[in-house]
Amino acid sequence: MRPAIKSRLTTEQFAEGIFRGDRIILGQAITLIESTRSDDQVLGASLLERIIAKTGKAIRIGITGVPGVGKSTFIEAFGKHLIKQGKKIAVLTIDPSSQLTKGSILGDKTRMEELSKDASAFIRPSASGSTLGGVAHKTREVMLLCEAAGYDVILVETVGVGQSEVSVKNMVDFFLLLMLAGAGDELQGIKKGIMEMADGIAITKADGDNIKHATEAMAEYQHAFHLFAANESGWTPRVVTSSARTGHGIDTVWEMINQYHDKTTASGFFATNRGRQNIAWFEEHFAQLLKDDLAKSLSLRTTHDTLTKSVGDHSLSSRQAALLYLEAYHKAIRESNGNETE
Ligand code: GDP
């Protein structure tokens, strides 16, 4: 078990430190939010309540692409460009591989070396967690803490291998897909579904001999976007070429995101989308709380294990098992209500 946070601050001390932009306190607050200890969770929840009014002002950008496409190099160049414009940026990562294999595709310490030394950048690797949903959940809360600490742009990075994109899409305003020219969609593991989620594509490494290929790929993907059904946001996703090495296109990506922001703010979609995301997170939080609550009851856990076994060896249908579990749950509630009134 992780040792308790040494100098335990109060909600107010955490909040004040965060509002001041104190990076050490922000780091401690993130550790608190990520903690599974129940006393930390109580304090973490009260901290989130305390800071919530100061959140929401950043632009939230999701960045995805297969390993090797150039994500960390791009984020380093893009981040430095934003800092030059006077922005403070936070980079958070969601790495599904670290949950599955304990290894991490994104966790390499040397990534974004220059950015990590910049006082205007805050970089935080993936939270640990047993499920991707759990990790995404924490990442979203970490994002809120960073917003309260005054970060103007939040970059949420994930590996484009299909599991974590939906989680990221559901917490950001703009979803940027990085792609390599000429590698073939299959090789890049890019499914049509991921392209449909993207608000923009940057074809990376558009430098040297690769410029021609990158420009051709740009035209192809732009054409593909026109074939998709119109997007509810009213925004037609754009494709650009970029090179972190030469700096080409880095400013264009930022301009594209600003155009998206202006257009969707004017149409009302920006706020509607955030509202929807909040509703989805409310549902997910509740489902998680319910699950945790069920797991607290020994009798329900036993029932759950028995039903799981029966479903696994085909002696009971999944549907019937779910109904029986619900009945057991109702019974447990009646019993606990009975105990309270006694
Ligand atoms: P990630 O796995 O997606 O984070 O990819 P990296 O950022 O680690 O980049 C993978 C490789 O591509 C590294 O060897 C980089 O030096 C190289 N690379 C990244 N960006 C560029 C670029 O803009 N141009 C060129 N030529 N190489 C790049």
Side-chain angles (χ1 to χ4, degrees), residues 11 43-53:
T11 303
L43 188 57
S46 97
L47 178 59
L48 282 171
E49 267 325 292
R50 176 67 183 81
I51 58 131
I52 202 75

Side-chain angles (χ1 to χ4, degrees), residues 66-74 111 157 205 207 242-245:
V66 291
V69 71
K71 288 180 296 301
S72 61
T73 322
F74 174 85
R111 303 176 86 243
E157 178 196 14
K205 308 189 195 182
D207 44 52
S242 72
S243 164
R245 196 156 284 177

Side-chain angles (χ1 to χ4, degrees), residues 103-136:
S104 168
I105 301 179
L106 293 172
D108 178 0
K109 282 207 185 71
T110 59
R111 303 176 86 243
M112 304 172 218
E113 206 170 344
E114 283 184 49
L115 204 58
S116 64
K117 289 184 196 135
D118 199 303
S120 296
F122 183 83
I123 301 180
R124 184 84 180 192
S126 227
S128 59
S130 53
T131 63
L132 178 60
V135 173

